[in-house]
Amino acid sequence: MKEKGYTRLYWKIVATTLCFSLVPLLVVGFSIYRQFSISFKAKIMESLTTLTENRCGAIDLFLDERIAQLNTLVFTNSMEQLTDEEYLTRVFTLMQMRSKSFVDIGIIDRDGDHVAYVGPYRLKGVNYKNEEWFNETMLRGIYVSDVFTGYRMFPHFVIAIMRREGDRSWILRATIDTEIFEAMVKAAQVGKKGDAFLVNKDNVLQTTPRFGGELLSRITYPHFPRFSGTRVGEMQLSGDYALFGMGWLRNKDWLLIIKEDPLENLSPLLQTRLMAIGLVLGGVLIIVVGTFLVTGAVVRQLISTDREKAVLDASLVQSSKMAALGKLAAGIAHEVNNPLAVIKEKVGWMRDLLVEEDISASENYREFDDAIRKIDYHVDRARKVTHRLLGFARRLEPVQEQVDLNRLMDETIEFLRNEAHYRNIEIQTDYCPDPPDVVSDSAQIQQVFLNILNNAIDAIGKAGVIHIKTMFNPKDREMAVAITDNGPGIPNDMLSKIFDPFYTTKEVGKGTGLGLSISYSIIDKLGGRILVASEEGKGTTFTIYLPVNSRPKPQIL
Ligand SMILES: Nc1ncnc2c1ncn2[C@@H]1O[C@H](COP(=O)(O)OP(=O)(O)OP(=O)(O)O)[C@@H](O)[C@H]1O
Ligand SMILES: [Mg+2]
């Protein structure tokens, strides 16, 4: 029942401690990680937004510059001047000196005929009347084409500007070096898995992506209608899970797509998560182990304190019983002794009378004689009890003398030698060599030895062994005397009663039941203790512990 109580208490403390320490730890750990993760992701999105904006801006600026350059050329020169190939070559060389991004340049008349051309291809005389870019330019004035292969069978895109000179219109067309243009887009390819490319409004690739997809092939992304600014986010696009940044160019309906590997970008976050989980788990482990260890220690301490308290309580109960008995004993012994003395005297006188009167012939003589003997016997019994009780009451102030317990035991055994021999009981001794003298009351200790040895002899009855061992414990400065018999033992349920006053199992007239209670009170008063261990059918051991330097207890009486 008690064990269950301790177990319940143990688990209660463990559960409460764990609850009060783990919950805040988990909440704090989770909140810090969540906050960190939110701001980290926001930071990544912010930098992706900036990257996308900057790249869109740079490409637009590139196109702005080329368009402005060509515009200047168109509107500061007449068609006559520019169709002069020598002049056009000079102009083109000058343009290339400033920037290598132009591959070639040409003038096309209103019928689509390529009337002048400077560049690495043989394109002069080619007619562009049916080309889409030609028609678009004639319609809009300025046109930046999509990437196409055209006559040169090589992917390129053109910037074309139309000028109306009087009633005739003509077009200046320049081809942009795709390598230089692509390099500018690819500058946004960051990390090991990052990608950046342009698609037109039909999702046809306008620059070559780093991974998967050929120039001019169509990607399977959903269609994004033109929007202003940039868009970023973690998205799943046609099986590609990535961080995406997108922005439409201002000068052309091309969409810049920047792709970044979330694992690469978020790896510091993942590392932080692992670290946070590790730290929290470590904390949990330490708390759990600590809780179990501390709770175990606390409960163990509690159990031992409770046990000590129980022993103390029991000894206090026993001591107070002794004290009560002491008081009672003095009173009863005194009151009963006087009438007993009178009865004893009167019995003696009656016996004398029987002899004097010479009534031995009387038929009631035997009855008288028997009655007188019985009275005498029972008076003696009663006096024995009162005698012991008086001894109990008188034994208040122990003397202090040097006592050699081995010698004292030898003397005590001498008293019992004949009785033991008669009953065929062997008394063995196993003495501690050179024990320190105990400062105590030898007469009282001897009485205890006698009581316990008498009990052992009574318990054995006939034929047996009494083993006496003396020991010294230097740590506690304590002597121990263990008296073991191989008698019938004491049943467990009786062990707690044997020190009670008047508890006896002996026949009426044989035992007073005071021997052990007196012994207990003596040893208690001398500052020691008596313990008993017994196993039914095997025997009993009484162990008396006495401090070497006696600490007699103050009297409760
Ligand atoms: N060595 C022992 N083996 C078995 N039982 C014992 C032993 N010592 C004591 N007892 C039991 O404890 C009881 C109480 O002992 P205690 O010495 O107090 O009284 P008692 O021996 O019966 O009477 P008294 O000591 O006056 O002769 C005994 O009656 C006996 O039942
Ligand atoms: Mg006894």
Side-chain angles (χ1 to χ4, degrees), residues 388 450-452 454-455 458 504 506 511-516:
R388 291 203 103 166
L450 263 174
N451 282 344
I452 294 177
N454 268 326
N455 281 350
D458 288 347
T504 180
K506 292 174 189 167
T512 60
L514 283 170
L516 282 180

Side-chain angles (χ1 to χ4, degrees), residues 14 16 31 82 88 96 102-103 142 202 237 246 259 266 276 308 324 348 376 396 413 492 529 532 551:
V14 165
T16 318
S31 318
L82 291 177
L88 192 62
Q96 278 212 313
F102 291 112
V103 177
I142 297 178
D202 302 319
L237 294 180
M246 296 180 191
K259 215 168 106 181
L266 297 176
E308 276 167 24
D376 201 29
L396 296 181
I413 293 170
N492 256 341
R529 61 196 192 280
V532 59
R551 304 176 291 263

